Every structure is written in structure tokens, then in C-alpha cells.
Amino acid sequence: MLRRHWTRPLALVFLLGLLAPLPPSAAAAPVTVPETTASPPAAPDTATTVPLPSLSATTTQVAHGLRRPTALAAPDDGTGRLFITEKPGTVRVYHPDTGLAGTPLIDITSAVDESGNERGLLGIALPPDFAESQDVYLAYTALPDGAVTLARYRLDESRLEVLLAQEHAEYNNHNGGQLAFGPDGHLYWSIGDGGGSADPLRAGQRLDTLLGKILRIDVGRTCGALAYCVPADNPFAGTAGARPEIWLYGLRNPWRFSFDRADGSMWIGDVGQGRWEEVDHLAPGRGGANLGWSCYEGLERFQGGTCPPGEEYTKPVFTYSPYTGGCSVIGGHVYRGSRYAGLVGGTYIATDYCSSTVWALRPDGRGGYEQAEIGQMPTQVTSIGTTAEGEFYVVNDLPGGLHKVSFERQEPTCRVDRAVRSWGTGTTVELTVTNTGTTAVNGWTLEFPLALGQSVVSNWNTDLTQLSNTVTAVNAPYNATIAPGASITLGYVAGHTGDASAPPRFMLNGDACAIGR
């Protein structure tokens, strides 16, 4: 089987589209892929010293009555407002002092095709000069045929100007829809692969279509017949047969991406086919990167996908299996606010539409990433946004609310020490679980992920099951109780296809554990 080369950079689930049934060929065997050397991720934020398992994220609802909210943005104009898009085609305004305004700021329902659960008004971005220009950029699926559309809405004139559209009539899912201005002042826009299951249009790897891409355009100028300009340094601006607007390709449904305010790097949550959800992290200026779909889903070869010869694929920095209860990754932001800077400064926060798990990722300074589950979001979160000052809010689909996100330090009540012995294609892992809390644990379930390609063949001191890369270990009758300060051990033998690393995170009865040796 030909192996592709990776480069390393540094109602339910319908809105995002994502769990189309897997065709029989889609569940491929794991493969080991070589990596080339690239710039490692930045070192952890020096202001952040709190271990990720010591963090806890909570939310407080501050508004209700939204109609299937999809995105939010904050004007940097000193007003303290949030703009919230609703799927039917309206933009609502929230202010922390006066609440949610009853009358929409913008109403383009007459232009929006909201047929099918994934179509509608999907994204919003405000330019750096918003206070003067009063321009709002919107991404939506347009009548009559669902074309994914980028438009500028002039608030002072109540006028909608279509700037760019991509046909999207075959299927009504995988529309993407994120809009964001990058640190270079250009507008970035994500579009899904055209929908259906297993990339039937083969759009992810094609450069002659905007489907399955993130675009980069200059909306501050016009060029000839275009209502925008293509930046001269776009990676395919001079490539015959390629759409010059393309910045990144090989994406399935990049529903939400963001830029780190501190270093300009780009974080992307790309929704998977059904086996892997992924987060990508790219250093500034990484235009032209191929993120793998549909040759790969996460780190795993996607059988039946498109794998053009000679391609280099950029490896995701984080993947998780829907067997955790998730279904659609909701990409978030790196926290750069001031209120919780000492806790989560420099930490990327994301969630999942179905599991509501709060994922925390942070570069570890050694070329990898720390990771932890640090709480729960409200049900069916569709977007994470920030105020102009960098504080976090989320909106959820049904029943349609706005929630403020808070963080606190909450020391873990468990610690897991790992002992790994590997040989050939096998590995033995012994786990020592210590109760660091003040109350006894009576009956326990330990959940953790395995590296891609690992498969448990035997275990001891536990009743262990594996689904995909997700392991659930339940106590045996004789070790069900762990007194404060006491420990129990369990272990397993696994086969592997090249990666014999120990599990990177653990949850004991739903609480994140500290990692020992």
C-alpha cells in the first residue's frame, strides 16, 4: 500500500453535518507514516504554569431565545457588544448590561437558503476598521440553490453586496462557514467539501474548486471584475488550473477556525467522517498546506479516498474518536484575555457538538502538545467566540442560548503513573492510579485513549474494553475501593504499528487525572 508523506506544522449533529454512515471501505487499517522536520510549536506561555488537569471550565447562561445561533463576533468599537448570527438569516446584538436586543441588527432572510439542517447564515466577521466602515462580512447559503456565499453588509445603508460564491447544490451539508480576519488584514473563509459521505465530489484534493478549502482574499480592494483582490502571495495565485483564492486545502468541513492573537498561528477544527475528529495548528504563513482529506481522516488512511501522487500532508496536532461520545469538533480559540490569563493564557479551547467535552491543548515546548478534558459545555454548542478583550462566550444550537465561559483552578483528585515496556510490535503498560482526594473512591471507571495503531490483547486487575482508540477500564471486585492517599494498579498488553507511547490523558469517574511519571 502506497504511504503518503506527512509534514508537521507546528435535532442532533445535523447542523454540522458530520456523521454520515461509513461506507464498508472507509474504516482503514492504521498505517505508520514518516514525518519531516518542521518548525515545532511555540513554547508554553510563560504566564501559564497551571497544569491542564488542574483547570476547570464552566459556563453561565446570559441570554436565551436565539433561533439556532451559529456564530458570534465582537466589534472592537468600545461598545462591549456581541453580534450573534442566527441560522434563518438574522444577526442579533447582545450587551452584558442590557441583554439580547429584540430587533435584529441585520435581516437577510430573503437571501438565505436554510433548507436542510446545515444550510443558513453560518459565519460573521468584522474588519479591523469596523468602527469607521460599519461593514459586516457574512457567510451563508444563498437562495435559490444553496450556493455558499460571502457577502459584505453595509450597516449604514442596510445593503448586502455579494463578493464571492461557490456552487453547492448536490448536497446540503458540509458548507463550512467560518470567517475571520487574519493578522495580515486579509479575510479567511472556510468551505466544506461539498457534502455527502466520503467526499463524493473528490473536492478535498482538487485545486480547481473552492470546496474543501480555506480561502484568503483582500476585501479592501477590487481587482477588475472581481469584488475583491487575490493577494499576490497566495500559494496558488500563479498556478494554472487552480483557484487563486485557495490558502489551505484537503479539508472536510472546517466549521470553525481561529487565529492566535499573540503569534498569528492558525487553529482549525475539521470535522471527521465518523472515526476521527481533528484539530490542526499551523504557523503563520503556512499557505498551501494540504491537510489530508480525503486521503486521510485524522492520522488514519481513509480507504477509498483520493491520494494524488507526490503530495505532502500536514499532520493534525490532536485527534479524538467519536467513541468518546463526540461527533463534531467545534474549533475554538487560544485564550488571550486578561481575567484568566494566569490560568489558561496561551491555551487552546475547543469542544464537541455532541459530547460537550471541553478540550484544552497547549504546546509543550518539545514539539508536542499537552491535552486534557477540563469540563463540560452546554448541550450542542455550535461556536466559541470572544469579546474584543478576549473573554470567551459560546452559543448553543437548541434551545438557543448564549453562555459566558469561566475558568478556575481545581486540583485533580487522582494521579496516574505510567510504566511502559516495549518490544518489537508489542508494549506492556502498567498504570498506578492514586486517589489524591479526601474521600474514598468506591467503584471506578478509568477512561483513556491509545495511540493510533495500538490494540489491547490482554489486561489485568480490571475489566477493560476498547472501542477504536478509546479504552474504558472498570474496577475488579477486589480493587473497587481506593482510600484517600491509596493506589491501585492495572495494566494491559497491546500490539502496535510503530507508536508504543503511553496514554496522554486519563479520566477517573469523569474527572481529569494528573499525569505522573
Side-chain angles (χ1 to χ4, degrees), residues 206-208 230 232 234-246 249 288:
R206 289 167 47 194
L207 294 177
D208 62 346
V230 174
N234 268 15
F236 304 107
T239 302
R243 290 296 301 263
E245 299 91 348
I246 295 171
Y249 65 113

Side-chain angles (χ1 to χ4, degrees), residues 320-324 447-450 465-472:
Y320 66 93
S321 165
Y323 285 109
T324 60
E447 297 174 296
F448 54 91
L450 300 181
T465 57
Q466 178 181 356
L467 293 174
S468 184
N469 76 321
T470 301
V471 168
T472 301

Side-chain angles (χ1 to χ4, degrees), residues 460-485:
W460 60 93
N461 291 342
T462 182
D463 181 8
L464 185 150
T465 57
Q466 178 181 356
L467 293 174
S468 184
N469 76 321
T470 301
V471 168
T472 301
V474 179
N475 63 269
Y478 53 81
N479 63 3
T481 298
I482 314 175

